[in-house]
DNA sequence: ACGTTTGTGGGTAAAAGTGGGTAGAATTCC
DNA sequence: GGAATTCTACCCACTTTTACCCACAAACGT
């Protein structure tokens, strides 16, 4: 096993939690997720826009792998520069305080349409922060595509281990 | 992890910030970016024209790698000399003061079309300084190429880490 | 039941962002 | 060459924002 694999074992996030954003824009990170975060990350997540309309938190270790891929793009190509810009510009490192909270940037709060209540969802290697109604809408949107979900399951689990 | 990758961890810039140019042509560097800049750079960035119509700031360490590549070009080929000239002629070392500001050269301010307000964008290994409307125009320019951007995603994230 | 952890609220000192003054260096002009 | 002028690095001042701390009630585990 490579050292890199070992580091990542801790960073496994699951479960769904309801929390509240306080007046200062801070939000609690579930204790279980704080414990799951590898200490090498120094209590720090990279927050950015999700592909879905929510906020995504990556352990810095995971983000560094994303950043490394962005650096591998050809800087002479305008489209590649734009691609990097659109990912990097919304990303910000957030370290949680001794109460276990992070302060979400206003831009990301707007993007996710977050008010006072939020849902925090574990996504194995990262975490999603949703406005509760949006999450529900998203769920409904896929409720009539259950067959497709089965297909994805088939695809994933038929892969060689 | 190679030594070169390790160096880059410190000089990793993200996020986008709105700042103002003061009457003396000075602009603040976001605190998070100042902290991200490796101390070996002695609070100094190399500023030059970007390939896009904005100002680009490189940590001197990163600039030195660019300079090394330019040196490796064939000095007997006119096109190569022209390429080197256009990068080198506008480059200037800028050290930020104890308030965290750098003084932007007038030539670069003109090139980027900067007035009072600017957007500072992290690009992982370097920083861009944009006139806000130009950045928006640039974004719109790529709005109809979402498929191409998805293609980039597929290409780089399907590769093994 | 009781001590401990967790989630939430809020106060305060420090840091960040912005504006402007000034003295010495560099430049210009007679 | 020397005086006048511009430039620039450095400093001080002010306002806003952030980071850090204390507090407390609810939930949890034993």
């Amino acid at each position: 096993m490579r050292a890199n694999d070992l580091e990542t074992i801790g960073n496994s996030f699951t479960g769904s939690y309801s929390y509240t954003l306080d007046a200062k824009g801070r939000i609690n990170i579930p204790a279980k997720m704080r414990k799951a975060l590898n200490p090498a990350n120094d209590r720090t997540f990279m927050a950015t826009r999700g592909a879905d309309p929510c906020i995504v938190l990556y352990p810095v270790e995971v983000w560094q792998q994303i950043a490394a891929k962005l650096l591998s793009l050809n800087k002479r190509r305008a489209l590649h520069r734009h691609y990097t810009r659109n990912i990097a510009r919304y990303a910000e490192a957030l370290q949680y305080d001794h109460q276990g909270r992070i302060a979400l940037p206003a831009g990301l709060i707007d993007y996710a349409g977050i008010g006072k209540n939020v849902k925090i969802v574990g996504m194995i290697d990262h975490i999603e922060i949703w406005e509760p109604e949006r999450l529900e809408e998203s769920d409904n949107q896929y409720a009539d595509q259950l067959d497709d979900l089965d297909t994805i399951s088939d695809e994933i689990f038929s892969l060689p281990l």
Side-chain angles (χ1 to χ4, degrees), chain A:
Chain A
M1 181 182 284
R2 290 176 298 133
N4 202 15
D5 295 336
L6 198 66
E7 287 173 16
T8 319
I9 284 179
N11 297 324
S12 183
F13 308 101
T14 56
S16 139
Y17 304 84
S18 294
Y19 284 114
T20 57
L21 202 73
D22 70 17
K24 295 183 182 178
R26 295 174 301 188
I27 195 170
N28 200 1
I29 302 294
K32 285 190 179 179
M33 291 179 175
R34 298 200 301 265
K35 286 171 182 165
L37 181 67
N38 191 308
N41 294 282
D42 194 30
R43 311 205 318 271
T44 307
F45 290 94
M46 287 296 302
T48 189
R49 293 188 177 190
D52 299 304
C54 65
I55 300 173
V56 168
L57 301 182
Y58 296 100
V60 285
E61 293 176 297
V62 175
W63 168 260
Q64 280 166 2
Q65 296 182 344
I66 296 173
K69 287 184 179 300
L70 294 178
L71 285 177
S72 73
L73 290 175
N74 188 341
K75 292 185 173 59
R76 263 76 61 197
R77 291 199 191 173
L79 191 66
H80 285 194
R81 291 195 300 273
H82 178 73
Y83 181 82
T84 297
R85 190 177 299 122
N86 256 356
I87 292 182
R89 71 199 298 192
Y90 302 114
E92 225 170 301
L94 303 177
Q95 185 181 45
Y96 60 80
D97 64 18
H98 289 286
Q99 276 67 22
R101 293 170 296 193
I102 56 173
L104 291 177
L108 288 178
I109 291 178
D110 287 346
Y111 173 73
I114 289 174
K116 182 153 179 61
N117 296 104
V118 300
K119 279 273 188 187
I120 301 185
V121 181
M123 289 287 281
I124 314 296
D125 70 337
H126 66 277
I127 297 168
E128 289 181 349
I129 302 176
W130 286 82
E131 195 284 318
E133 287 185 20
R134 279 200 188 179
L135 178 56
E136 208 172 325
E137 287 169 20
S138 176
D139 289 342
N140 294 338
Q141 196 176 330
Y142 294 105
D144 56 353
Q145 298 183 40
L146 291 178
D147 290 347
D148 294 339
L149 290 179
D150 285 346
T151 303
I152 292 175
S153 283
D154 288 344
E155 284 174 7
I156 294 175
F157 291 104
S158 65
L159 290 174
L161 291 177

